[in-house]
Amino acid sequence: AIFVTSSLGSPEGELLPGETATYIAKYLITQFDIVEGQVDNQAIVTAEAPDNSLVSDLSDSSNLDDPNELGLPGQLDEDDRTATYIPQNPVVGISKNIASGPINNSDGSYTLTYSVFVENTGNVTLYDLQVIEDLRAVFIGSEFYGDIVVSSNDFILNPNYDGIADVNLLMGDEILDVDSSGTIEITLTVRPGSLLGPYSNTAVVNVISPSGLNLTDDSQDGLDPDLDNDGDPTNNNDPTVITFTQNPI
């Protein structure tokens, strides 16, 4: 602790009768503290009396709103720890861009790859991560076919995903740590026919916070889920749009 001041001018380490002294101590908040939601702190003071006897006391909370407060602040027989509330701020964001294509296959079809980026920009770990990509809802009136190839070096993929009957890209039981992110790529072939677009595509991410809060975000076109950099990805949700420039035969 660092000595700040005393009410009667005594130096550090001394107290006159009726005098008070102020000390400060610094503590670095950890990720564990944020997950717990508060930090409990208790100081101990020891001193030597004129008769060489030792006296000591544990600090008592001085806040009636403190969850650790069991009675009235300042009661001599109380030693309630002082709690400091640390707000949890769970935030998840998702963006999507066209990583490659569309490539004209010269048979009436095009091949393209979507890249989906997910990140945790809050201050707590997020659970049960799931990303939803409904391709049938995107390419209404056209045909997409063949093997849809999904890849990711960051997440555990759902092997049953087909973009139609099963639109969940992930297994849904992963965690997303603070400041962590990952990418999913979806390659597919589309036969648009005479319906050249535009086709708007939005992916959705769902997670659960440590307190059980369900969080969701709709994808923002491009590489940045929080395009306006206001700390809230949920107000950035422009769809990713594609138009096929010709009608191959």
Side-chain angles (χ1 to χ4, degrees), residues 61-229:
S61 173
S62 61
N63 180 5
L64 282 173
D65 296 325
D66 193 324
N68 294 329
E69 182 59 60
L70 300 178
L72 295 175
Q75 288 183 333
L76 295 179
D77 59 346
E78 284 193 12
D79 294 318
D80 301 326
R81 295 170 299 166
T82 299
T84 300
Y85 173 66
I86 303 175
Q88 295 185 352
N89 182 34
V91 181
V92 67
I94 183 172
S95 63
K96 176 189 291 186
N97 71 296
I98 299 174
S100 66
I103 298 172
N104 187 339
N105 297 317
S106 301
D107 61 357
S109 69
Y110 294 86
T111 298
L112 66 147
T113 298
Y114 289 112
S115 180
V116 179
F117 175 74
V118 179
E119 67 176 338
N120 178 351
T121 58
N123 64 1
V124 290
T125 299
L126 303 174
Y127 299 89
D128 296 345
L129 173 66
Q130 185 58 268
V131 177
I132 299 171
E133 175 69 289
D134 189 344
L135 294 176
R136 176 58 69 192
V138 173
F139 295 102
I140 297 176
S142 67
E143 176 186 0
F144 71 93
Y145 63 95
D147 293 331
I148 298 173
V149 179
V150 182
S151 62
S152 177
N153 293 323
D154 306 303
F155 303 126
I156 301 175
L157 299 173
N158 172 16
N160 298 317
Y161 173 82
D162 61 6
I164 306 174
D166 193 337
V167 296
N168 293 324
L169 285 168
L170 306 179
M171 292 301 293
D173 56 0
E174 287 187 76
I175 66 172
L176 192 61
D177 290 325
V178 175
D179 295 328
S180 292
S181 61
T183 301
I184 308 167
E185 290 196 342
I186 308 108
T187 299
L188 67 150
T189 301
V190 179
R191 189 185 297 273
S194 61
L195 302 175
L196 301 181
Y199 295 96
S200 297
N201 188 336
T202 298
V204 179
V205 60
N206 294 317
V207 292
I208 300 177
S209 75
S211 64
L213 181 66
N214 292 303
L215 303 175
T216 187
D217 184 37
D218 293 344
S219 61
Q220 166 64 36
D221 182 43
L223 301 175
D224 188 353
D226 187 18
L227 192 60
D228 58 8
N229 199 32

